[in-house]
Amino acid sequence: MGVEIKIEDLSKSFGKQLIWGDVTLTVPAGEVSVMLGPSGTGKSVLLKTLIGLLKPDKGSVIIEGTDIASCSEKELYEIRKLFGVLFQDGAMFGSMNLYDNVAFPLREHTKKSESEIRDIVMEKMDLVGLLGAEDKLPGEISGGMRKRAGLARALVLDPEIVLFDEPDSGLDPVRTAFLNQLIVDLNAQIDATFLIVTHDINTARTVPDNIGLLYHRHLAMFGPREMLLSSEEPVVRQFLNAQKVGPIGMSEEKDADELEAEKDEAMPPLPPIPMQLEPSNGIARRSQREPGAWCRENGVTPPPGSFDQNMSMAPGAG
Amino acid sequence: MASTTATRILAPVGTAGKLFAFGLDVGRGLFRRPFQTREFIQQAWFIASVTIIPTALVAIPFGAVIALQVGGLIKQFGAQSFTGSAAVLAVVREAGPIATSLLIAGAAGSAIAADLGARKIREELDAMMVLGIDPIQRLVVPRVLACMLVAVFLNGLVSVVGVAGGYVFNVVLQDGTPGAYLSSFTALAQLPDLWQGMAKALVFGLLAAIVACYKGMNAAGGPKGVGDAVNESVVISFMLLFVVNFVMSAIYFQLVPPKTG
Ligand SMILES: Nc1ncnc2c1ncn2[C@@H]1O[C@H](COP(=O)(O)OP(=O)(O)OP(=O)(O)O)[C@@H](O)[C@H]1O
Ligand SMILES: [Mg+2]
């Protein structure tokens, strides 16, 4: 049914370099959340902290009452069974073919017979569109295929929480669209908590229930999609609409001169909020909310043209 | 400023401490079931395959050089009848373990560090931990045991090949008599020499494998990091093995008094 991840006051630095500090948020159970942020802001580091691969300097990550940041090694290995993780490059075991890679968690953690394992593996391979490539070694396939194989492996134990590190980087636009649909369908099917790290604004605008933005060593904002997509906050607005005007520069933040120079350049108007991607069978997901509900409840007028069925692409993504 | 200097100077101490802690983790992993028999056999086979030929090739000149040096010296003392014994002593006590350590650290250690380093930067090790599997138990323990086994085996190989090389050199080139070479075997050498050679090889295999695994699993910073890890692992284990060899020899001479001809 999905498990919530409660992150409190989390900080992480490497040596003297602070990656991010005082990150507090709750990833709601069963919902799809996206974490955005410019390159190098520590999104991958955040995911690794959530699964206890990196220890934070302070703060806590609470999952089912266990604090990942301070629990024992044994508890950690136990709690990790709830997770399915898709790493940035797939992280397939180089010495095994794709079939054995996907079968690996089943062979390690279950007592299933080889024929049962075969059924499950084939089902997941079919799901990610890799039927026929079972015998290939990870070194012999493209980055996009490795990523999809990684997804198959992450799903094989029916996880309660699925973490995706840039599922869409290195995929062509068509595959990205298929993958996004797959993510939505999966969420409808298994009701797990999804946390996706991505750069792709189109994904961020159409897939999740919640959006977060990591920027300048802190969490700039986290909340329901409509809250961020209608936000006037300069950083959020700049990033979600892929604009040059705003506080984010080529290297992290712009300096005072640059900001001064573009002071008179007005930010372009907010683009309309697109409809959320529906599961392909048309049955709404459990965590899905009615379009415009958040805006109504909070007295926010969405940008004109929002929630129009025919409008799906983010203008910035084109 | 003073504090940065202090951190720099103390850095190796920290590394040594982490290495030691890693060694303890491996020790704990040793007793955790299920034991990875398949990985162990594969690794032992792999390590043996990368070390056997170089070891044999190194052992022949080793035996020959010892025969040459000792042969010349012994002639000056007029003790030719001890040539065989001296060769056995030198090869079994010192050359065997040293050649073994060179090959284990150089060939096996670098291969292990490169393999684990590549897995580390491809995030395979992270993925493994997330899948609830401890890479120390799964990957490191079988490698350490395989390295120890192969080291003992290589030590035996060096001893045999070295003594045979010495024999050929002494008899064919230095006009020694086969009888003298063979019959003096046990004049100075004794059984504990053999045991201590094996003990050294075991310890060398253990240390080289632990250093290589530690360095490999802590590789960072992309493909270059793997190269650095391999390089550091070879240098560190060389230094470590030579020091340990000296210490073990010193202890051995305290415990087992040399045989008097
Ligand atoms: N193990 C580590 N040791 C030291 N620094 C690290 C380590 N891992 C990451 N960093 C640093 O942390 C910062 C954030 O890295 P991270 O990989 O999380 O970025 P990211 O947001 O995922 O970027 P991208 O979108 O390009 O993947 C980088 O500056 C990186 O140099
Ligand atoms: Mg990343």
Side-chain angles (χ1 to χ4, degrees), chain A residues 48 51 53 77 80 85 87 91-94 104 108-109 153, chain B residues 119 122-124 126-135 138:
Chain A
K48 286 185 182 165
I51 27 175
L53 290 173
Y77 274 106
R80 277 181 188 151
V85 182
F87 284 88
M92 306 308 282
F93 302 131
F104 184 83
E108 289 295 328
H109 291 303
R153 190 179 64 190
Chain B
R119 288 175 192 241
R122 281 201 306 255
E123 296 184 315
E124 274 187 37
D126 287 347
M128 205 172 244
M129 285 191 254
V130 170
L131 292 173
I133 288 153
D134 180 6
R138 181 86 187 189

Side-chain angles (χ1 to χ4, degrees), chain B residues 213-225:
Chain B
C213 291
Y214 175 76
K215 277 289 160 194
M217 285 183 69
N218 287 286
K224 184 177 175 300

Side-chain angles (χ1 to χ4, degrees), chain A residues 192-212:
Chain A
T193 306
F194 283 32
L195 180 60
I196 306 169
V197 159
T198 182
H199 291 296
D200 190 281
I201 327 168
N202 192 41
T203 304
R205 292 178 68 92
T206 55
V207 174
D209 303 307
N210 306 286
I211 305 177

Side-chain angles (χ1 to χ4, degrees), chain B residues 93-159:
Chain B
R93 267 196 201 155
E94 293 302 329
I98 292 267
T100 308
S101 72
L102 286 175
L103 269 303
I104 283 286
S110 59
I112 290 177
D115 177 34
L116 291 185
R119 288 175 192 241
K120 164 76 186 174
I121 63 155
R122 281 201 306 255
E123 296 184 315
E124 274 187 37
L125 300 182
D126 287 347
M128 205 172 244
M129 285 191 254
V130 170
L131 292 173
I133 288 153
D134 180 6
I136 291 192
Q137 190 228 347
R138 181 86 187 189
L139 300 174
V140 175
V141 167
R143 279 168 175 72
V144 169
L145 292 179
C147 230
M148 291 168 75
L149 176 76
V150 175
V152 172
F153 169 70
L154 287 184
N155 182 53
L157 181 72
V158 175
S159 301

Side-chain angles (χ1 to χ4, degrees), chain A residues 216-229:
Chain A
H216 198 194
R217 295 184 277 285
H218 72 294
L219 182 71
M221 200 182 261
F222 182 85
R225 64 188 292 264
E226 290 175 19
M227 172 173 142
L228 273 91
L229 292 175

Side-chain angles (χ1 to χ4, degrees), chain B residues 127-219:
Chain B
M128 205 172 244
M129 285 191 254
V130 170
L131 292 173
I133 288 153
D134 180 6
I136 291 192
Q137 190 228 347
R138 181 86 187 189
L139 300 174
V140 175
V141 167
R143 279 168 175 72
V144 169
L145 292 179
C147 230
M148 291 168 75
L149 176 76
V150 175
V152 172
F153 169 70
L154 287 184
N155 182 53
L157 181 72
V158 175
S159 301
V160 172
V161 175
V163 171
Y167 173 84
V168 171
F169 196 79
N170 184 260
V171 172
V172 178
L173 296 174
Q174 289 183 319
D175 306 321
T177 52
Y181 193 86
L182 293 177
S183 65
S184 67
F185 261 21
T186 50
L188 293 175
Q190 44 188 339
L191 205 55
D193 289 337
L194 212 59
W195 298 135
Q196 73 107 34
M198 279 191 180
K200 275 183 180 174
L202 262 184
V203 173
F204 292 169
L206 174 76
L207 290 178
I210 287 185
V211 171
C213 291
Y214 175 76
K215 277 289 160 194
M217 285 183 69
N218 287 286

